Amino acid sequence: SAEINSVKADGVILLEMSTILNLLNNKIISKTEYVKHSWIQSPSLKILGLPIPIGPIAEAFINKFKPSLCKTIDENIAKSFDANAIKSKLDAFFANPLFTSDDNIIGLYASPSQFAIGPFSMQQDELIIPVMIDGEAVIAEKKPSDLINNLNFEIQPSYDNISELQIQSRVPMQYIEQLCREGVENQSYGSGLTKITVQKIKLNGYKETLQVRLHTLGAYDGELELSFIPRFNSSKKLIQLEEFRIASISGKKLDKTIFNLVQGIIQNKLKSTMEDFFNATIQDYVKSATKLLEGKEIMQTYTISGKLLDYNISNFAISDSRMYFNLVSKFSGQLSVKEF
């Protein structure tokens, strides 16, 4: 005779569940229901070497287990996705600039306005949630008081997984002017009878035109006004100053030699200094966004990742002693929740 205290049956089952998500007061409310199941490997049991059919027993166990499994899934979703906690962490994260210039004067300040989530999926031990984040940002010397958004959460049953961040440049002209002064002011160009010294430089503008006033001594003793129109080259992803013009405000008439000399100053110093600043600022944003989307843990077990897809710049304007332009970037993103 033999005494049997316990037995073990092996089998592999595929369960199909359906979960409906809703959002209430920034809390995820889920309702999971059993759909169907199928055996990948039928359950088998051997006692003393004899096969024992346990299909009906296994089916009864599954039927009994279904309600508690659905309840456990809903509890884990509610516990793993706390929208209020995510909102608090995002607000704290965006309270600081995403990047600053090398001299820590100019920074990119952002404020998300919408956080939408798409259909959940599971990958190994992680809950993967597609996210779409829309928001505004400003490039300036400090965070503007009007850059405040109440972050809203919503659920989108269908999605294209493309987020959008609208960035407005509000760089003070005085800051750009100082950069130009450091490279041009009190510098001499040419030699002998064609030597010109730039005594003073002043930046201004009207609508889309960037204007530079030069007070010069030497071969040209007077004041010159130079103008450019900034444009974004979408294929090269560069801001370029185009349609260069020069006019005499005071002093003698410009001859060809002086014109060529002044044009050389523009090309080698002023134009390159301003273009380098604009494009370095844009590249700082691209690098910061790329690094952030490589995987940033915004709170314990929550990681945002994705990819910068594209960006474009438009609507250049000079107003209120600031250089304005709009940068719109598109990116994909997802939120990974570990230990789900």
Side-chain angles (χ1 to χ4, degrees), residues 231-240 242 312-313 316:
R231 292 196 175 97
F232 182 65
N233 187 319
S234 58
S235 59
K236 295 181 179 180
K237 297 298 182 186
L238 292 174
I239 293 177
Q240 297 174 323
E242 302 177 350
N312 279 289
I313 298 174
F316 290 90

Side-chain angles (χ1 to χ4, degrees), residues 271-290:
K271 184 173 181 288
S272 61
T273 295
M274 290 186 285
E275 286 181 340
D276 288 349
F277 164 70
F278 294 137
N279 291 313
T281 301
I282 302 307
Q283 285 307 306
D284 283 343
Y285 162 69
V286 171
K287 291 176 183 177
S288 298
T290 301

Side-chain angles (χ1 to χ4, degrees), residues 13 43 55 62 77 100 108 118 120 166 168 180-181 186 215 262:
I13 190 172
I62 294 299
I77 290 176
T100 58
L108 172 64
F120 290 21
Q166 298 188 23
Q168 184 183 67
C180 294
R181 281 179 175 173
N186 296 318
H215 293 264
V262 173

Side-chain angles (χ1 to χ4, degrees), residues 28 31 41 50 53 93 103 132 178 184 232-233 319:
I28 290 288
K31 176 63 176 177
Q41 178 184 326
L50 298 175
F93 177 77
D103 53 15
M132 289 129 294
Q178 182 59 36
V184 176
F232 182 65
N233 187 319
S319 177

Side-chain angles (χ1 to χ4, degrees), residues 11 20 95 101 158 234 277 320 326:
I20 299 175
S101 57
S158 61
S234 58
F277 164 70
D320 300 324
N326 294 332

Side-chain angles (χ1 to χ4, degrees), residues 120-330:
F120 290 21
S121 63
M122 291 294 298
Q123 291 183 9
Q124 298 180 345
D125 62 342
E126 291 185 338
L127 177 65
I128 305 299
I129 309 171
V131 296
M132 289 129 294
I133 304 174
D134 292 338
E136 300 174 306
V138 169
I139 299 173
E141 73 278 17
K142 63 180 180 179
K143 186 172 183 177
S145 58
D146 59 349
L147 187 65
I148 299 176
N149 287 301
N150 183 24
L151 182 59
N152 295 313
F153 285 81
E154 68 176 45
I155 294 174
Q156 295 186 359
S158 61
Y159 70 104
D160 56 9
N161 200 20
I162 296 179
S163 301
E164 185 174 284
L165 182 63
Q166 298 188 23
I167 303 172
Q168 184 183 67
S169 166
R170 301 182 189 178
V171 179
M173 293 294 290
Q174 187 178 4
Y175 180 80
I176 305 172
E177 180 182 288
Q178 182 59 36
L179 294 176
C180 294
R181 281 179 175 173
E182 293 172 359
V184 176
E185 205 165 79
N186 296 318
Q187 300 293 315
S188 296
Y189 304 90
S191 60
L193 297 176
T194 60
K195 184 177 180 180
I196 290 180
T197 299
V198 178
Q199 185 183 37
K200 188 176 180 182
I201 183 171
K202 178 69 177 177
L203 263 67
N204 209 327
Y206 177 70
K207 293 186 177 179
E208 63 175 5
T209 302
L210 180 61
Q211 299 168 334
V212 183
R213 289 284 183 98
L214 293 180
H215 293 264
T216 61
L217 300 173
Y220 190 87
D221 189 354
E223 185 178 8
L224 300 169
E225 182 177 89
L226 321 172
S227 64
F228 311 86
I229 295 181
R231 292 196 175 97
F232 182 65
N233 187 319
S234 58
S235 59
K236 295 181 179 180
K237 297 298 182 186
L238 292 174
I239 293 177
Q240 297 174 323
L241 300 180
E242 302 177 350
E243 298 188 28
F244 165 65
R245 291 185 175 85
I246 182 172
S248 174
I249 303 301
S250 64
K252 65 181 181 180
K253 183 179 179 181
L254 282 172
D255 59 30
K256 185 175 181 180
T257 301
I258 298 299
F259 177 86
N260 289 337
L261 180 60
V262 173
Q263 188 177 36
I265 298 172
I266 303 309
Q267 294 290 342
N268 296 327
K269 290 292 183 178
L270 285 175
K271 184 173 181 288
S272 61
T273 295
M274 290 186 285
E275 286 181 340
D276 288 349
F277 164 70
F278 294 137
N279 291 313
T281 301
I282 302 307
Q283 285 307 306
D284 283 343
Y285 162 69
V286 171
K287 291 176 183 177
S288 298
T290 301
K291 185 177 180 180
L292 172 63
L293 293 171
E294 287 175 351
K296 175 69 176 180
E297 188 176 60
I298 60 172
M299 57 190 293
Q300 189 173 6
T301 75
Y302 287 74
T303 301
I304 285 184
S305 60
K307 183 179 180 180
L308 181 64
L309 302 175
D310 193 18
Y311 63 93
N312 279 289
I313 298 174
S314 60
N315 300 329
F316 290 90
I318 294 94
S319 177
D320 300 324
S321 299
R322 290 182 181 272
M323 164 69 83
Y324 290 88
F325 59 78
N326 294 332
L327 187 157
V328 178
S329 60
K330 297 182 181 296

